[in-house]
């Protein structure tokens, strides 16, 4: 009996030990799995390697030069010499100059007709070359549009501001010519008629060549002596420089701002030394701006009988 009880007790002990061992190993396995899970959670995930983007260079890109007024593409430009400052600066200055030649338009001034009404006139259009050069010097790889700075200025004259504009003389200047020199006198007369009754509002600019126009036989201009390289030679329109020089002295006396003036290569007899203004089509021009805060009118008279050319700068009584 004792042997039977001992065997049963031993068997029970073994079973208990086996169960206890199983419970222990199972608990340990769970703990190990939990620890491994925590460790795995702590490990940072490997980031996907990003593909390196190619580095853009200004000199490899193509830029669109756009009209600042309309947004229209005027030209496509590839700045291949961008890294070579001297070469690049010369290139973009030439580019700006070429674009300006096709854009720049002098102001066509308003005139007063025989009925006292304003007539004609067109706006000045200017491409600011220095501003465009600066824009091209500061290119980047994110903005491929380049503004071409073009400015328009309309004549600053209204019917109301021109009321009584010829009432008061600001300055007048006269020069003399020989009545017998009919061809030259005709040129003086035609150029005087071209500038007569031109009205300039505050800030308006004036170009003699633009206003008088090209001097051709078709327009009535005659062959007459003119000074070229210190020599008197025959040319169509000889004598028109007397009109431009007389005009200069009148507007200078009125205090208007001269913006372009050149001297003859030799002294002329109709104005004192240094008081002339030579002009030629496609060459030197005489330009000025009305820097007053009121409009002025130019009156020009060439009396071919007495040989007197007079230019008078006038304005309204209320303006001064």
């Amino acid at each position: 009996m004792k042997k039977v009880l001992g065997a049963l007790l031993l068997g029970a002990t073994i079973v208990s030990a086996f169960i206890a061992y199983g419970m222990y190993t199972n608990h340990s396995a769970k703990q190990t799995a939990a620890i491994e899970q925590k460790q795995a959670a702590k490990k940072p995930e490997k980031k996907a390697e990003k593909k390196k983007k190619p580095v853009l260079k200004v000199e490899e890109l193509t830029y669109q030069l756009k009209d600042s007024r309309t947004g229209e593409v005027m030209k496509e430009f590839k700045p291949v010499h961008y890294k070579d400052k001297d070469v690049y600066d010369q290139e973009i200055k030439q580019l700006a100059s070429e674009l300006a030649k096709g854009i720049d338009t002098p102001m066509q001034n308003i005139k007063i007709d025989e009925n006292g009404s304003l007539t004609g006139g067109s706006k000045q259009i200017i491409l600011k070359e220095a501003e465009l050069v600066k824009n091209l010097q500061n290119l980047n790889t994110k903005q491929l549009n380049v503004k071409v700075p073009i400015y328009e200025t309309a004549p600053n004259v209204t019917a109301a501001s021109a009321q009584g504009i010829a009432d008061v003389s600001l300055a007048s200047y006269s020069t003399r010519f020989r009545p017998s020199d009919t061809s030259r006198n005709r040129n003086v007369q035609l150029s005087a008629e071209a500038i007569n009754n031109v009205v300039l509002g505050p800030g308006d600019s004036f170009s003699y060549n633009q206003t008088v126009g090209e001097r051709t036989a078709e327009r009535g201009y005659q062959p007459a002596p003119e000074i070229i390289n210190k020599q008197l030679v025959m040319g169509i329109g000889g004598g028109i420089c007397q009109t431009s020089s007389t005009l200069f002295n009148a507007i200078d006396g009125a205090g208007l701002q001269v913006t372009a003036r050149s001297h003859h290569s030799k002294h002329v007899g109709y104005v004192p030394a240094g008081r002339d203004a030579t002009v030629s089509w496609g060459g030197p021009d005489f330009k000025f701006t009305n820097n007053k805060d009121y409009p002025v009118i130019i009156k020009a008279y060439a009396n071919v009988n007495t040989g007197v050319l007079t230019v008078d700068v006038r304005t309204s009584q209320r303006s001064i």
Side-chain angles (χ1 to χ4, degrees), residues 94-140:
Q94 182 176 350
L95 171 62
S97 176
E98 290 174 354
L99 287 175
K101 286 178 183 177
I103 293 293
D104 289 357
T105 306
M107 180 178 291
Q108 186 69 48
N109 302 111
I110 287 175
K111 297 186 80 171
I112 289 182
D113 64 20
E114 57 187 13
N115 299 316
S117 300
L118 300 182
T119 183
S122 63
K123 57 194 171 185
Q124 177 190 54
I125 305 174
I126 295 291
L127 189 158
K128 293 292 182 70
E129 295 181 42
E131 191 175 337
L132 175 57
V133 167
K134 185 177 180 181
N135 292 345
L136 291 170
Q137 287 172 334
N138 295 297
L139 299 178
N140 61 64

mmCIF file of all heavy atoms in Angstrom, residues 94-140:
data_model
loop_
_atom_site.group_PDB
_atom_site.id
_atom_site.type_symbol
_atom_site.label_atom_id
_atom_site.label_comp_id
_atom_site.label_asym_id
_atom_site.label_seq_id
_atom_site.Cartn_x
_atom_site.Cartn_y
_atom_site.Cartn_z
ATOM 1 N N GLN A 94 23.954 95.281 -75.600
ATOM 2 C CA GLN A 94 23.689 95.301 -77.035
ATOM 3 C C GLN A 94 22.267 94.812 -77.309
ATOM 4 O O GLN A 94 21.562 95.373 -78.155
ATOM 5 C CB GLN A 94 24.696 94.411 -77.766
ATOM 6 C CG GLN A 94 24.521 94.424 -79.276
ATOM 7 C CD GLN A 94 25.584 93.604 -79.995
ATOM 8 O OE1 GLN A 94 26.561 93.166 -79.399
ATOM 9 N NE2 GLN A 94 25.400 93.378 -81.281
ATOM 10 N N LEU A 95 21.839 93.797 -76.571
ATOM 11 C CA LEU A 95 20.483 93.279 -76.733
ATOM 12 C C LEU A 95 19.450 94.352 -76.398
ATOM 13 O O LEU A 95 18.479 94.556 -77.137
ATOM 14 C CB LEU A 95 20.281 92.059 -75.826
ATOM 15 C CG LEU A 95 18.856 91.516 -75.707
ATOM 16 C CD1 LEU A 95 18.347 91.047 -77.064
ATOM 17 C CD2 LEU A 95 18.804 90.373 -74.694
ATOM 18 N N ALA A 96 19.658 95.058 -75.284
ATOM 19 C CA ALA A 96 18.729 96.118 -74.876
ATOM 20 C C ALA A 96 18.684 97.231 -75.915
ATOM 21 O O ALA A 96 17.605 97.758 -76.234
ATOM 22 C CB ALA A 96 19.148 96.677 -73.516
ATOM 23 N N SER A 97 19.835 97.580 -76.471
ATOM 24 C CA SER A 97 19.903 98.642 -77.482
ATOM 25 C C SER A 97 19.144 98.237 -78.742
ATOM 26 O O SER A 97 18.410 99.046 -79.323
ATOM 27 C CB SER A 97 21.364 98.946 -77.815
ATOM 28 O OG SER A 97 21.465 99.897 -78.847
ATOM 29 N N GLU A 98 19.302 96.994 -79.172
ATOM 30 C CA GLU A 98 18.615 96.521 -80.377
ATOM 31 C C GLU A 98 17.104 96.491 -80.180
ATOM 32 O O GLU A 98 16.344 96.867 -81.077
ATOM 33 C CB GLU A 98 19.131 95.127 -80.746
ATOM 34 C CG GLU A 98 20.565 95.133 -81.267
ATOM 35 C CD GLU A 98 21.110 93.736 -81.483
ATOM 36 O OE1 GLU A 98 20.403 92.763 -81.114
ATOM 37 O OE2 GLU A 98 22.237 93.605 -81.987
ATOM 38 N N LEU A 99 16.663 96.046 -79.003
ATOM 39 C CA LEU A 99 15.227 96.028 -78.733
ATOM 40 C C LEU A 99 14.659 97.449 -78.696
ATOM 41 O O LEU A 99 13.566 97.705 -79.197
ATOM 42 C CB LEU A 99 14.947 95.319 -77.405
ATOM 43 C CG LEU A 99 15.112 93.794 -77.401
ATOM 44 C CD1 LEU A 99 14.913 93.255 -75.979
ATOM 45 C CD2 LEU A 99 14.131 93.134 -78.348
ATOM 46 N N ALA A 100 15.432 98.378 -78.098
ATOM 47 C CA ALA A 100 14.970 99.764 -77.981
ATOM 48 C C ALA A 100 14.802 100.416 -79.356
ATOM 49 O O ALA A 100 13.877 101.214 -79.566
ATOM 50 C CB ALA A 100 15.948 100.573 -77.135
ATOM 51 N N LYS A 101 15.658 100.063 -80.300
ATOM 52 C CA LYS A 101 15.565 100.655 -81.642
ATOM 53 C C LYS A 101 14.229 100.339 -82.297
ATOM 54 O O LYS A 101 13.711 101.144 -83.073
ATOM 55 C CB LYS A 101 16.714 100.145 -82.515
ATOM 56 C CG LYS A 101 18.065 100.751 -82.173
ATOM 57 C CD LYS A 101 19.160 100.156 -83.040
ATOM 58 C CE LYS A 101 20.525 100.710 -82.646
ATOM 59 N NZ LYS A 101 21.623 100.090 -83.445
ATOM 60 N N GLY A 102 13.690 99.180 -81.994
ATOM 61 C CA GLY A 102 12.418 98.807 -82.580
ATOM 62 C C GLY A 102 11.216 99.282 -81.785
ATOM 63 O O GLY A 102 10.072 99.113 -82.223
ATOM 64 N N ILE A 103 11.464 99.867 -80.613
ATOM 65 C CA ILE A 103 10.376 100.276 -79.715
ATOM 66 C C ILE A 103 10.282 101.792 -79.565
ATOM 67 O O ILE A 103 9.197 102.381 -79.632
ATOM 68 C CB ILE A 103 10.570 99.642 -78.322
ATOM 69 C CG1 ILE A 103 10.399 98.125 -78.392
ATOM 70 C CG2 ILE A 103 9.607 100.242 -77.305
ATOM 71 C CD1 ILE A 103 9.003 97.669 -78.729
ATOM 72 N N ASP A 104 11.425 102.441 -79.336
ATOM 73 C CA ASP A 104 11.432 103.865 -78.980
ATOM 74 C C ASP A 104 10.765 104.723 -80.057
ATOM 75 O O ASP A 104 11.102 104.635 -81.245
ATOM 76 C CB ASP A 104 12.860 104.354 -78.756
ATOM 77 C CG ASP A 104 13.466 103.800 -77.471
ATOM 78 O OD1 ASP A 104 12.752 103.093 -76.743
ATOM 79 O OD2 ASP A 104 14.647 104.076 -77.192
ATOM 80 N N THR A 105 9.835 105.538 -79.619
ATOM 81 C CA THR A 105 9.113 106.444 -80.510
ATOM 82 C C THR A 105 8.998 107.806 -79.844
ATOM 83 O O THR A 105 8.451 107.911 -78.745
ATOM 84 C CB THR A 105 7.693 105.921 -80.804
ATOM 85 O OG1 THR A 105 7.778 104.580 -81.310
ATOM 86 C CG2 THR A 105 6.980 106.811 -81.799
ATOM 87 N N PRO A 106 9.540 108.864 -80.456
ATOM 88 C CA PRO A 106 9.431 110.192 -79.848
ATOM 89 C C PRO A 106 7.980 110.643 -79.766
ATOM 90 O O PRO A 106 7.127 110.193 -80.543
ATOM 91 C CB PRO A 106 10.230 111.097 -80.796
ATOM 92 C CG PRO A 106 11.060 110.173 -81.622
ATOM 93 C CD PRO A 106 10.300 108.892 -81.719
ATOM 94 N N MET A 107 7.701 111.535 -78.856
ATOM 95 C CA MET A 107 6.361 112.108 -78.754
ATOM 96 C C MET A 107 6.072 112.978 -79.967
ATOM 97 O O MET A 107 6.917 113.758 -80.401
ATOM 98 C CB MET A 107 6.255 112.948 -77.471
ATOM 99 C CG MET A 107 4.889 113.587 -77.262
ATOM 100 S SD MET A 107 4.818 114.526 -75.707
ATOM 101 C CE MET A 107 4.897 113.213 -74.485
ATOM 102 N N GLN A 108 4.893 112.804 -80.521
ATOM 103 C CA GLN A 108 4.431 113.709 -81.568
ATOM 104 C C GLN A 108 3.557 114.746 -80.873
ATOM 105 O O GLN A 108 2.497 114.414 -80.343
ATOM 106 C CB GLN A 108 3.621 112.955 -82.624
ATOM 107 C CG GLN A 108 3.219 113.798 -83.815
ATOM 108 C CD GLN A 108 4.401 114.193 -84.686
ATOM 109 O OE1 GLN A 108 5.219 113.362 -85.047
ATOM 110 N NE2 GLN A 108 4.502 115.465 -85.016
ATOM 111 N N ASN A 109 4.029 115.975 -80.859
ATOM 112 C CA ASN A 109 3.349 117.001 -80.074
ATOM 113 C C ASN A 109 2.023 117.419 -80.677
ATOM 114 O O ASN A 109 1.815 117.373 -81.881
ATOM 115 C CB ASN A 109 4.255 118.225 -79.917
ATOM 116 C CG ASN A 109 5.575 117.882 -79.267
ATOM 117 O OD1 ASN A 109 6.612 117.936 -79.914
ATOM 118 N ND2 ASN A 109 5.544 117.528 -78.002
ATOM 119 N N ILE A 110 1.141 117.850 -79.814
ATOM 120 C CA ILE A 110 -0.144 118.412 -80.230
ATOM 121 C C ILE A 110 0.089 119.804 -80.820
ATOM 122 O O ILE A 110 0.990 120.535 -80.399
ATOM 123 C CB ILE A 110 -1.095 118.472 -79.021
ATOM 124 C CG1 ILE A 110 -1.575 117.048 -78.678
ATOM 125 C CG2 ILE A 110 -2.277 119.387 -79.270
ATOM 126 C CD1 ILE A 110 -2.424 116.966 -77.432
ATOM 127 N N LYS A 111 -0.726 120.165 -81.802
ATOM 128 C CA LYS A 111 -0.681 121.514 -82.358
ATOM 129 C C LYS A 111 -2.070 122.145 -82.255
ATOM 130 O O LYS A 111 -3.064 121.452 -82.013
ATOM 131 C CB LYS A 111 -0.240 121.481 -83.828
ATOM 132 C CG LYS A 111 1.171 120.931 -84.023
ATOM 133 C CD LYS A 111 1.626 121.036 -85.464
ATOM 134 C CE LYS A 111 2.107 122.418 -85.815
ATOM 135 N NZ LYS A 111 2.761 122.519 -87.131
ATOM 136 N N ILE A 112 -2.102 123.448 -82.424
ATOM 137 C CA ILE A 112 -3.376 124.158 -82.484
ATOM 138 C C ILE A 112 -3.600 124.576 -83.929
ATOM 139 O O ILE A 112 -2.724 125.208 -84.548
ATOM 140 C CB ILE A 112 -3.380 125.391 -81.561
ATOM 141 C CG1 ILE A 112 -3.406 124.925 -80.094
ATOM 142 C CG2 ILE A 112 -4.560 126.288 -81.854
ATOM 143 C CD1 ILE A 112 -3.459 126.057 -79.096
ATOM 144 N N ASP A 113 -4.757 124.197 -84.480
ATOM 145 C CA ASP A 113 -5.015 124.522 -85.874
ATOM 146 C C ASP A 113 -5.558 125.947 -86.024
ATOM 147 O O ASP A 113 -5.707 126.679 -85.034
ATOM 148 C CB ASP A 113 -5.948 123.491 -86.513
ATOM 149 C CG ASP A 113 -7.340 123.476 -85.891
ATOM 150 O OD1 ASP A 113 -7.722 124.472 -85.238
ATOM 151 O OD2 ASP A 113 -8.054 122.472 -86.066
ATOM 152 N N GLU A 114 -5.861 126.313 -87.243
ATOM 153 C CA GLU A 114 -6.303 127.691 -87.522
ATOM 154 C C GLU A 114 -7.643 128.025 -86.875
ATOM 155 O O GLU A 114 -7.988 129.203 -86.722
ATOM 156 C CB GLU A 114 -6.412 127.898 -89.036
ATOM 157 C CG GLU A 114 -7.341 126.915 -89.721
ATOM 158 C CD GLU A 114 -7.307 127.029 -91.232
ATOM 159 O OE1 GLU A 114 -6.395 127.681 -91.761
ATOM 160 O OE2 GLU A 114 -8.208 126.452 -91.882
ATOM 161 N N ASN A 115 -8.383 127.001 -86.447
ATOM 162 C CA ASN A 115 -9.656 127.235 -85.763
ATOM 163 C C ASN A 115 -9.520 127.260 -84.248
ATOM 164 O O ASN A 115 -10.511 127.396 -83.528
ATOM 165 C CB ASN A 115 -10.664 126.155 -86.159
ATOM 166 C CG ASN A 115 -10.956 126.160 -87.654
ATOM 167 O OD1 ASN A 115 -11.142 127.221 -88.242
ATOM 168 N ND2 ASN A 115 -10.985 124.979 -88.256
ATOM 169 N N GLY A 116 -8.274 127.103 -83.784
ATOM 170 C CA GLY A 116 -8.042 127.110 -82.342
ATOM 171 C C GLY A 116 -8.289 125.772 -81.668
ATOM 172 O O GLY A 116 -8.312 125.688 -80.434
ATOM 173 N N SER A 117 -8.437 124.710 -82.474
ATOM 174 C CA SER A 117 -8.685 123.379 -81.913
ATOM 175 C C SER A 117 -7.382 122.593 -81.812
ATOM 176 O O SER A 117 -6.470 122.760 -82.644
ATOM 177 C CB SER A 117 -9.679 122.605 -82.787
ATOM 178 O OG SER A 117 -10.904 123.295 -82.876
ATOM 179 N N LEU A 118 -7.300 121.715 -80.806
ATOM 180 C CA LEU A 118 -6.136 120.843 -80.670
ATOM 181 C C LEU A 118 -6.191 119.765 -81.734
ATOM 182 O O LEU A 118 -7.246 119.199 -82.029
ATOM 183 C CB LEU A 118 -6.118 120.199 -79.285
ATOM 184 C CG LEU A 118 -6.045 121.146 -78.083
ATOM 185 C CD1 LEU A 118 -5.992 120.352 -76.783
ATOM 186 C CD2 LEU A 118 -4.839 122.077 -78.181
ATOM 187 N N THR A 119 -5.034 119.465 -82.314
ATOM 188 C CA THR A 119 -4.988 118.460 -83.363
ATOM 189 C C THR A 119 -3.698 117.651 -83.266
ATOM 190 O O THR A 119 -2.667 118.148 -82.794
ATOM 191 C CB THR A 119 -5.086 119.111 -84.759
ATOM 192 O OG1 THR A 119 -5.108 118.096 -85.751
ATOM 193 C CG2 THR A 119 -3.927 120.051 -85.014
ATOM 194 N N GLY A 120 -3.766 116.400 -83.760
ATOM 195 C CA GLY A 120 -2.577 115.548 -83.791
ATOM 196 C C GLY A 120 -2.125 115.119 -82.411
ATOM 197 O O GLY A 120 -2.873 115.154 -81.440
ATOM 198 N N GLY A 121 -0.891 114.718 -82.350
ATOM 199 C CA GLY A 121 -0.301 114.283 -81.090
ATOM 200 C C GLY A 121 -0.329 112.774 -80.943
ATOM 201 O O GLY A 121 -1.324 112.130 -81.255
ATOM 202 N N SER A 122 0.783 112.208 -80.498
ATOM 203 C CA SER A 122 0.855 110.778 -80.200
ATOM 204 C C SER A 122 1.841 110.580 -79.061
ATOM 205 O O SER A 122 2.730 111.397 -78.824
ATOM 206 C CB SER A 122 1.273 109.973 -81.433
ATOM 207 O OG SER A 122 2.576 110.345 -81.850
ATOM 208 N N LYS A 123 1.677 109.462 -78.353
ATOM 209 C CA LYS A 123 2.462 109.235 -77.143
ATOM 210 C C LYS A 123 3.916 108.880 -77.433
ATOM 211 O O LYS A 123 4.253 108.345 -78.494
ATOM 212 C CB LYS A 123 1.820 108.137 -76.311
ATOM 213 C CG LYS A 123 1.636 106.828 -77.042
ATOM 214 C CD LYS A 123 0.707 105.924 -76.264
ATOM 215 C CE LYS A 123 0.327 104.677 -77.073
ATOM 216 N NZ LYS A 123 -0.672 103.858 -76.374
ATOM 217 N N GLN A 124 4.741 109.173 -76.479
ATOM 218 C CA GLN A 124 6.147 108.769 -76.515
ATOM 219 C C GLN A 124 6.247 107.348 -75.952
ATOM 220 O O GLN A 124 5.608 107.009 -74.958
ATOM 221 C CB GLN A 124 6.980 109.715 -75.649
ATOM 222 C CG GLN A 124 8.455 109.345 -75.549
ATOM 223 C CD GLN A 124 9.157 110.169 -74.478
ATOM 224 O OE1 GLN A 124 8.722 110.203 -73.336
ATOM 225 N NE2 GLN A 124 10.231 110.835 -74.841
ATOM 226 N N ILE A 125 7.030 106.505 -76.602
ATOM 227 C CA ILE A 125 7.242 105.131 -76.133
ATOM 228 C C ILE A 125 8.740 104.931 -75.938
ATOM 229 O O ILE A 125 9.533 105.158 -76.856
ATOM 230 C CB ILE A 125 6.693 104.105 -77.131
ATOM 231 C CG1 ILE A 125 5.215 104.381 -77.430
ATOM 232 C CG2 ILE A 125 6.855 102.687 -76.585
ATOM 233 C CD1 ILE A 125 4.627 103.500 -78.508
ATOM 234 N N ILE A 126 9.096 104.515 -74.739
ATOM 235 C CA ILE A 126 10.516 104.369 -74.397
ATOM 236 C C ILE A 126 10.768 103.018 -73.727
ATOM 237 O O ILE A 126 10.063 102.646 -72.786
ATOM 238 C CB ILE A 126 10.986 105.485 -73.449
ATOM 239 C CG1 ILE A 126 10.924 106.842 -74.145
ATOM 240 C CG2 ILE A 126 12.403 105.226 -72.942
ATOM 241 C CD1 ILE A 126 11.930 107.026 -75.255
ATOM 242 N N LEU A 127 11.761 102.290 -74.210
ATOM 243 C CA LEU A 127 12.254 101.096 -73.523
ATOM 244 C C LEU A 127 13.423 101.527 -72.650
ATOM 245 O O LEU A 127 14.423 102.035 -73.161
ATOM 246 C CB LEU A 127 12.694 100.035 -74.535
ATOM 247 C CG LEU A 127 13.045 98.641 -73.988
ATOM 248 C CD1 LEU A 127 12.920 97.594 -75.101
ATOM 249 C CD2 LEU A 127 14.449 98.573 -73.397
ATOM 250 N N LYS A 128 13.304 101.354 -71.347
ATOM 251 C CA LYS A 128 14.369 101.765 -70.428
ATOM 252 C C LYS A 128 15.486 100.716 -70.459
ATOM 253 O O LYS A 128 15.411 99.661 -69.829
ATOM 254 C CB LYS A 128 13.812 101.914 -69.010
ATOM 255 C CG LYS A 128 12.812 103.054 -68.840
ATOM 256 C CD LYS A 128 13.485 104.411 -68.996
ATOM 257 C CE LYS A 128 12.513 105.560 -68.785
ATOM 258 N NZ LYS A 128 12.072 105.716 -67.412
ATOM 259 N N GLU A 129 16.525 101.018 -71.243
ATOM 260 C CA GLU A 129 17.599 100.052 -71.476
ATOM 261 C C GLU A 129 18.335 99.675 -70.191
ATOM 262 O O GLU A 129 18.617 98.497 -69.941
ATOM 263 C CB GLU A 129 18.584 100.611 -72.503
ATOM 264 C CG GLU A 129 17.970 100.790 -73.880
ATOM 265 C CD GLU A 129 18.964 101.316 -74.890
ATOM 266 O OE1 GLU A 129 20.117 100.842 -74.882
ATOM 267 O OE2 GLU A 129 18.597 102.211 -75.685
ATOM 268 N N ALA A 130 18.643 100.665 -69.355
ATOM 269 C CA ALA A 130 19.381 100.382 -68.115
ATOM 270 C C ALA A 130 18.581 99.464 -67.195
ATOM 271 O O ALA A 130 19.143 98.586 -66.526
ATOM 272 C CB ALA A 130 19.713 101.696 -67.403
ATOM 273 N N GLU A 131 17.279 99.658 -67.176
ATOM 274 C CA GLU A 131 16.427 98.819 -66.324
ATOM 275 C C GLU A 131 16.375 97.379 -66.840
ATOM 276 O O GLU A 131 16.408 96.420 -66.053
ATOM 277 C CB GLU A 131 15.024 99.417 -66.267
ATOM 278 C CG GLU A 131 14.126 98.782 -65.212
ATOM 279 C CD GLU A 131 12.781 99.491 -65.102
ATOM 280 O OE1 GLU A 131 12.688 100.666 -65.489
ATOM 281 O OE2 GLU A 131 11.830 98.835 -64.633
ATOM 282 N N LEU A 132 16.310 97.217 -68.154
ATOM 283 C CA LEU A 132 16.316 95.872 -68.730
ATOM 284 C C LEU A 132 17.642 95.179 -68.470
ATOM 285 O O LEU A 132 17.677 93.987 -68.115
ATOM 286 C CB LEU A 132 16.051 95.941 -70.238
ATOM 287 C CG LEU A 132 16.146 94.603 -70.992
ATOM 288 C CD1 LEU A 132 15.202 93.573 -70.400
ATOM 289 C CD2 LEU A 132 15.883 94.800 -72.473
ATOM 290 N N VAL A 133 18.751 95.903 -68.623
ATOM 291 C CA VAL A 133 20.073 95.331 -68.344
ATOM 292 C C VAL A 133 20.149 94.836 -66.898
ATOM 293 O O VAL A 133 20.645 93.738 -66.618
ATOM 294 C CB VAL A 133 21.185 96.365 -68.635
ATOM 295 C CG1 VAL A 133 22.523 95.910 -68.046
ATOM 296 C CG2 VAL A 133 21.316 96.590 -70.131
ATOM 297 N N LYS A 134 19.626 95.623 -65.967
ATOM 298 C CA LYS A 134 19.624 95.220 -64.563
ATOM 299 C C LYS A 134 18.805 93.949 -64.355
ATOM 300 O O LYS A 134 19.209 93.048 -63.608
ATOM 301 C CB LYS A 134 19.068 96.355 -63.697
ATOM 302 C CG LYS A 134 19.142 96.076 -62.199
ATOM 303 C CD LYS A 134 18.647 97.273 -61.397
ATOM 304 C CE LYS A 134 18.720 96.982 -59.901
ATOM 305 N NZ LYS A 134 18.219 98.132 -59.112
ATOM 306 N N ASN A 135 17.653 93.859 -65.016
ATOM 307 C CA ASN A 135 16.820 92.656 -64.906
ATOM 308 C C ASN A 135 17.557 91.425 -65.421
ATOM 309 O O ASN A 135 17.456 90.333 -64.843
ATOM 310 C CB ASN A 135 15.515 92.840 -65.684
ATOM 311 C CG ASN A 135 14.602 93.876 -65.055
ATOM 312 O OD1 ASN A 135 14.794 94.272 -63.912
ATOM 313 N ND2 ASN A 135 13.610 94.327 -65.797
ATOM 314 N N LEU A 136 18.332 91.596 -66.493
ATOM 315 C CA LEU A 136 19.064 90.481 -67.077
ATOM 316 C C LEU A 136 20.310 90.118 -66.282
ATOM 317 O O LEU A 136 20.827 89.003 -66.388
ATOM 318 C CB LEU A 136 19.448 90.807 -68.523
ATOM 319 C CG LEU A 136 18.276 90.872 -69.513
ATOM 320 C CD1 LEU A 136 18.738 91.437 -70.851
ATOM 321 C CD2 LEU A 136 17.667 89.492 -69.701
ATOM 322 N N GLN A 137 20.781 91.058 -65.485
ATOM 323 C CA GLN A 137 21.932 90.764 -64.618
ATOM 324 C C GLN A 137 21.537 89.985 -63.370
ATOM 325 O O GLN A 137 22.393 89.417 -62.693
ATOM 326 C CB GLN A 137 22.609 92.079 -64.197
ATOM 327 C CG GLN A 137 23.393 92.750 -65.310
ATOM 328 C CD GLN A 137 23.889 94.128 -64.914
ATOM 329 O OE1 GLN A 137 23.300 94.796 -64.053
ATOM 330 N NE2 GLN A 137 24.967 94.588 -65.541
ATOM 331 N N ASN A 138 20.258 89.961 -63.068
ATOM 332 C CA ASN A 138 19.778 89.323 -61.835
ATOM 333 C C ASN A 138 18.836 88.153 -62.129
ATOM 334 O O ASN A 138 17.800 87.997 -61.499
ATOM 335 C CB ASN A 138 19.061 90.364 -60.965
ATOM 336 C CG ASN A 138 19.994 91.448 -60.478
ATOM 337 O OD1 ASN A 138 20.931 91.190 -59.742
ATOM 338 N ND2 ASN A 138 19.771 92.676 -60.912
ATOM 339 N N LEU A 139 19.224 87.306 -63.074
ATOM 340 C CA LEU A 139 18.418 86.133 -63.399
ATOM 341 C C LEU A 139 18.534 85.080 -62.304
ATOM 342 O O LEU A 139 19.519 85.019 -61.581
ATOM 343 C CB LEU A 139 18.889 85.533 -64.732
ATOM 344 C CG LEU A 139 18.782 86.433 -65.968
ATOM 345 C CD1 LEU A 139 19.334 85.714 -67.183
ATOM 346 C CD2 LEU A 139 17.347 86.859 -66.211
ATOM 347 N N ASN A 140 17.507 84.247 -62.176
ATOM 348 C CA ASN A 140 17.566 83.096 -61.273
ATOM 349 C C ASN A 140 16.918 81.900 -61.957
ATOM 350 O O ASN A 140 16.359 82.018 -63.050
ATOM 351 C CB ASN A 140 16.893 83.415 -59.930
ATOM 352 C CG ASN A 140 15.426 83.754 -60.088
ATOM 353 O OD1 ASN A 140 14.630 82.919 -60.500
ATOM 354 N ND2 ASN A 140 15.057 84.999 -59.778
#
